[in-house]
């Protein structure tokens, strides 16, 4: 039930700090992993962002672990506009895009409204409603974004190259 928040381009956006802190406060019994994309991690604004998020929030943990490692540590993923949104979705997480910038005009994820979260209250409500069984995360709606066949995508590539698959298909 842990939560991972991936970010990069919006580390200088005050609404993202509010989002991270609000989610953290709503789920104090869970770890909220915070990962800044590697090409942003050394920027001063990113360091300030991480500090602002973590201030007096002991359940927020900053990590430099890989994206794929984080998929094993969490059940929910939030990301600013990035392929991390669909990568988390492909790996079985309940994934959402944080649609928080007024200047970010074009984004293909907006064609899937249930995938986009604009305010912190909606992020928390989605998790609560999923866990209460009052809202269902419908992965099948995202078939235009991810492969829903259940095949491990590394094996799809192996098969395309004429090699045998190494992993059984996912359920």
């Amino acid at each position: 039930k842990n939560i991972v928040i991936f970010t990069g381009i919006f580390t200088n956006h005050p609404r993202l700090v509010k989002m991270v802190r609000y989610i953290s406060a709503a789920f104090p019994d869970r770890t909220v992993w915070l990962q800044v994309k590697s090409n942003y991690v050394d920027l001063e604004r990113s360091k300030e962002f991480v500090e602002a998020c973590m201030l007096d929030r002991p359940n927020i943990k900053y990590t430099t672990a890989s994206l794929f490692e984080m998929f094993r540590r969490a059940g929910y993923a939030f990301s600013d506009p990035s392929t991390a949104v669909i990568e988390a979705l492909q790996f079985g997480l309940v994934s959402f895009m944080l649609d928080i910038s007024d200047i970010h005009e074009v984004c293909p994820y907006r064609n899937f409204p249930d995938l986009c979260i604009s305010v912190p209250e909606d992020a928390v409500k989605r998790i609560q409603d999923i866990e209460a069984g009052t809202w269902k995360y419908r992965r099948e709606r995202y078939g235009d974004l991810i492969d829903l066949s259940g095949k491990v995508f590394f094996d799809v590539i192996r098969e395309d190259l004429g090699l045998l698959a190494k992993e059984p298909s996912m359920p």
Side-chain angles (χ1 to χ4, degrees):
K1 292 188 172 187
N2 290 330
I3 300 160
V4 61
I5 299 173
F6 300 107
T7 189
I9 61 172
F10 291 143
T11 55
N12 61 340
H13 203 297
R15 286 179 63 190
L16 186 55
V17 172
K18 181 179 177 185
M19 183 77 72
V20 172
R21 292 181 59 78
Y22 192 91
I23 292 170
S24 161
F27 301 105
D29 58 326
R30 303 180 195 197
T31 299
V32 175
W33 294 102
L34 184 58
Q35 186 209 54
V36 176
K37 195 171 187 176
S38 61
N39 51 336
Y40 292 90
V41 74
D42 291 326
L43 298 176
E44 190 60 35
R45 75 176 206 207
S46 297
K47 293 174 186 175
E48 292 170 1
F49 164 77
V50 170
E51 287 177 24
C53 289
M54 294 179 67
L55 183 67
D56 298 323
R57 292 285 195 275
N59 64 323
I60 298 176
K61 307 290 183 200
Y62 174 70
T63 183
T64 58
S66 75
L67 194 74
F68 302 110
E69 174 62 29
M70 296 315 304
F71 294 158
R72 289 183 249 174
R73 295 184 190 179
Y76 299 94
F78 294 88
S79 177
D80 54 15
S82 160
T83 59
V85 175
I86 56 173
E87 289 167 322
L89 181 64
Q90 184 72 47
F91 276 82
L93 280 74
V94 172
S95 179
F96 299 99
M97 183 193 80
L98 298 173
D99 193 6
I100 59 168
S101 176
D102 297 332
I103 62 170
H104 187 227
E105 294 178 15
V106 178
C107 181
Y109 300 137
R110 289 187 183 129
N111 295 328
F112 305 88
D114 286 344
L115 198 60
C116 299
I117 300 288
S118 298
V119 296
E121 295 82 2
D122 289 349
V124 168
K125 184 159 178 35
R126 283 280 194 240
I127 292 173
Q128 291 170 335
D129 289 351
I130 288 167
E131 293 179 358
T134 57
W135 189 79
K136 182 167 173 39
Y137 187 80
R138 301 200 183 277
R139 189 172 310 279
E140 67 276 5
R141 290 184 179 171
Y142 310 122
D144 289 343
L145 295 172
I146 63 169
D147 177 3
L148 296 170
S149 70
K151 288 186 175 183
V152 177
F153 69 87
F154 294 118
D155 285 337
V156 171
I157 295 169
R158 290 179 58 78
E159 289 170 359
D160 287 348
L161 293 172
L163 302 170
L164 294 176
K166 288 188 171 187
E167 300 289 333
S169 292
M170 299 184 315

